[in-house]
Amino acid sequence: MRRKSSRFDAGEIAFVVWHEQWDANIHSHADQGVIIVVEAEVEGTPTALLRFNCFDVERSYVYAPEGESRVCRIDPVADGNPIGWTMRQLRDRLTGMLEAGGFGEVAARVDTDRVEGVLADLERAARDSFVNQRGTVKHNRGTDIFEAGAIRFGLEMRTLPDDGGLAIHVLSDLAGPPGAPYSEETEILAFDCFRELPHYHYGPRNKNHRYYWDRTVVPDPLEWTLDRFKAGKLRAMIEAAGYPGVAADLDEDLIASLLPALEARAREMQPASDG
């Protein structure tokens, strides 16, 4: 999903920046972040010349994205922050990259002073978009709560205009014990076992990476979810959601002892989602 874009004109070329969220099994993989495009008119047609993908996972740049589309990777270890890396290339290697993409005529007309004049604003817009346009969600905690030490499960029947079904929320107290005035309960995983578009979230209020189930291979999302709980996948999933401290405190034996009651209640609630 593309959000509002900002454009920075620099003579023969322009820079465009926007935020996108990708959903696994709808897009290539679950991810979100900022895209920076260098564009210009080529033979009278507005054309993307370079594209920089500054995402949580997808960190890459593309020569001639509307043509041969050669993709290169930004190494998160060696290259560091993808927005910072991109800005360094735009300052130091823009004309060379345009030539490498097959746009030598455009490169020859680039006004480096005009480019330099917009880069600071471009960088501010990119960094602001990465933080403030991030797609996150806050669900209800659920109506049926199962305490499991460092985490708790909340079961809820959700009703949406065109969808709905059982939701299982995995919750944790990240800022103090329950009852403290500064306590903050946060949803760290969510499994929306909906009728039409079932999906699950890693860190709904953090990274919010969403996976939509393929109903051909996962005909019963509730069964899939319960199977992952039983198989001990919660620790790794919580780490992937961005909460390693919560994962480290999991009591898997306690969780296993609660699962029969949780499953029974979930299956009792689930038929109402099909009516």
Side-chain angles (χ1 to χ4, degrees), residues 154-273:
L155 275 56
E156 175 193 16
M157 287 302 305
R158 292 190 61 197
T159 301
L160 303 176
D162 300 312
D163 206 351
L166 180 70
I168 300 179
H169 312 285
V170 180
L171 310 155
S172 185
D173 299 310
L174 298 184
Y182 52 85
S183 177
E184 180 181 328
E185 180 183 71
T186 299
E187 184 181 36
I188 56 180
L189 294 168
F191 301 86
D192 293 315
C193 304
F194 291 167
R195 295 185 304 272
E196 301 297 330
L197 292 172
H199 60 279
Y200 58 102
H201 305 245
Y202 280 96
R205 299 183 66 184
N206 181 23
K207 296 295 186 183
N208 195 28
H209 292 171
R210 297 185 300 216
Y211 285 73
Y212 281 75
W213 281 293
D214 174 5
R215 294 300 295 270
T216 301
V217 297
V218 184
D220 186 342
L222 175 58
E223 185 75 26
W224 184 97
T225 300
L226 294 171
D227 283 348
R228 273 36 186 196
F229 293 171
K230 294 172 186 177
K233 299 291 187 181
L234 269 172
R235 185 186 302 276
M237 295 184 83
I238 291 170
E239 287 179 349
Y243 302 100
V246 177
D249 291 339
L250 280 191
D251 186 332
E252 293 181 338
D253 291 337
L254 176 58
I255 292 169
S257 72
L258 292 170
L259 285 180
L262 185 150
E263 178 174 1
R265 182 55 180 150
R267 294 194 184 282
E268 181 182 5
M269 296 172 70
Q270 177 72 352
S273 70

Side-chain angles (χ1 to χ4, degrees), residues 22-187:
W22 298 348
D23 294 308
N25 298 328
I26 294 176
H27 305 96
S28 60
H29 59 275
D31 208 349
Q32 61 174 308
V34 165
I35 291 172
I36 299 172
V37 167
V38 182
E39 65 176 37
E41 283 201 1
V42 177
E43 297 180 353
T45 301
T47 302
L49 314 179
L50 297 167
R51 172 179 168 132
F52 298 85
N53 298 311
C54 305
F55 281 63
D56 295 333
V57 178
E58 181 66 23
R59 300 182 177 194
S60 60
Y61 56 102
V62 186
Y63 290 100
E66 297 177 7
E68 295 182 1
S69 190
R70 180 164 68 94
V71 179
C72 300
R73 297 294 167 185
I74 301 170
D75 182 347
V77 177
D79 296 327
N81 181 275
I83 294 177
W85 184 91
T86 296
M87 297 311 302
R88 290 194 296 275
Q89 311 322 304
L90 295 179
R91 287 190 172 92
D92 300 335
R93 304 185 187 279
L94 176 59
T95 56
M97 294 185 79
L98 291 173
E99 290 170 355
F103 302 108
E105 291 185 4
V106 176
R109 299 195 302 270
V110 168
D111 184 331
T112 55
D113 289 337
R114 292 194 67 176
V115 168
E116 184 62 36
V118 303
L119 288 184
D121 289 337
L122 172 65
E123 181 171 2
R124 277 192 292 271
R127 294 191 185 278
D128 177 78
S129 179
F130 189 89
V131 174
N132 294 315
Q133 292 192 41
R134 175 170 291 273
T136 60
V137 293
K138 184 179 186 298
H139 299 125
N140 295 325
R141 71 192 300 261
T143 54
D144 293 62
I145 305 298
F146 294 80
E147 296 287 346
I151 63 171
R152 62 183 61 91
F153 301 92
L155 275 56
E156 175 193 16
M157 287 302 305
R158 292 190 61 197
T159 301
L160 303 176
D162 300 312
D163 206 351
L166 180 70
I168 300 179
H169 312 285
V170 180
L171 310 155
S172 185
D173 299 310
L174 298 184
Y182 52 85
S183 177
E184 180 181 328
E185 180 183 71
T186 299
E187 184 181 36

